[in-house]
Amino acid sequence: MKIKIILLSVFLLFSFSNFASIRDTLLTNLESQLTVRETSYNRGVMVDIYNKSVGVALGSPWCGSFVGYNLTKIGVKNPNSGRAADYAKSKDIIWRSNKKTDIKLLTGDVVTFYYSSLGRVGHTGFYIKKDKEGYFITIEGNTNGLGSREGGGVYKKKRDPDKIYAISRYINDSIKITKESN
């Protein structure tokens, strides 16, 4: 009986060590894309892949496509849309800048930005973490070093939480993926 318990314990330990957090996998994928740049306006090898993955025309703004592509790639149900506003639906929002909550934000939650000039949400990306100064670190597609919503690549940004419209959650933390499948 002791041998069966020991073997079962070893098996379980080995099995769980072969699984990665879905959020860790997403972060690894996002960081590997920090070199993605447009080769012409809203075009490029990866930019076209992002847009094709959500069914929007090549050359379209692609921040939403970047989010949809990356969530779908790890098997997470999401709006799978090229439109940033689709990632700020009331049913998905867990945090708003004008309504602070005690919900802990997690790597891979989706940030959205509202533009009064557009009268709507006009940009999206991924929340990574809060830094020691209270700023949110994000990874976003179709931005630039200045944080534009019409940029030229994938960038890691430091954002003022008061400038973020809302944060939505799509990742169910009970999902695990094998390291080999990412």
Side-chain angles (χ1 to χ4, degrees):
M1 184 67 172
K2 276 187 177 180
I3 291 178
K4 286 183 181 178
I5 292 172
I6 292 171
L7 288 175
L8 180 60
S9 297
V10 169
F11 172 77
L12 290 174
L13 181 63
F14 175 75
S15 295
F16 286 117
S17 68
N18 248 350
F19 287 95
S21 155
I22 197 162
R23 291 180 187 280
D24 291 340
T25 300
L26 176 62
L27 180 58
T28 298
N29 292 347
L30 294 174
E31 288 177 336
S32 75
Q33 295 169 63
L34 287 170
T35 58
V36 170
R37 297 294 181 266
E38 294 177 359
T39 53
S40 61
Y41 186 71
N42 287 333
R43 296 295 306 271
V45 174
M46 282 305 298
V47 174
D48 289 352
I49 289 171
Y50 301 145
N51 277 335
K52 284 180 188 175
S53 76
V54 299
V56 299
L58 299 182
S60 297
W62 53 276
C63 63
S65 300
F66 170 76
V67 170
Y69 167 85
N70 279 288
L71 289 173
T72 300
K73 183 175 179 185
I74 59 169
V76 172
K77 188 175 188 280
N78 69 88
N80 199 35
S81 172
R83 294 189 60 235
D86 288 342
Y87 295 92
K89 302 288 185 194
S90 297
K91 67 181 182 61
D92 302 317
I93 292 173
I94 59 165
W95 181 96
R96 289 184 188 267
S97 62
N98 63 353
K99 269 193 226 176
K100 303 292 192 276
T101 68
D102 291 334
I103 294 175
K104 181 176 172 26
L105 300 177
L106 301 171
T107 299
D109 288 340
V110 176
V111 299
T112 52
F113 301 86
Y114 185 90
Y115 291 84
S116 54
S117 61
L118 298 173
R120 64 173 171 83
V121 168
H123 186 63
T124 188
F126 289 98
Y127 172 89
I128 303 304
K129 66 182 181 180
K130 183 189 254 188
D131 73 6
K132 60 185 171 214
E133 298 165 335
Y135 288 93
F136 290 176
I137 305 303
T138 63
I139 295 180
E140 306 164 25
N142 202 21
T143 191
N144 59 24
L146 299 175
S148 167
R149 63 177 286 275
E150 275 293 331
V154 176
Y155 288 84
K156 188 176 276 191
K157 305 300 305 164
K158 181 177 181 173
R159 298 287 195 170
D160 180 341
D162 292 333
K163 306 285 185 206
I164 292 174
Y165 171 71
I167 297 182
S168 298
R169 181 162 293 159
Y170 299 97
I171 297 174
N172 174 342
D173 289 304
S174 65
I175 299 170
K176 301 285 184 195
I177 58 174
T178 62
K179 288 182 181 178
E180 293 82 27
S181 68
N182 60 21

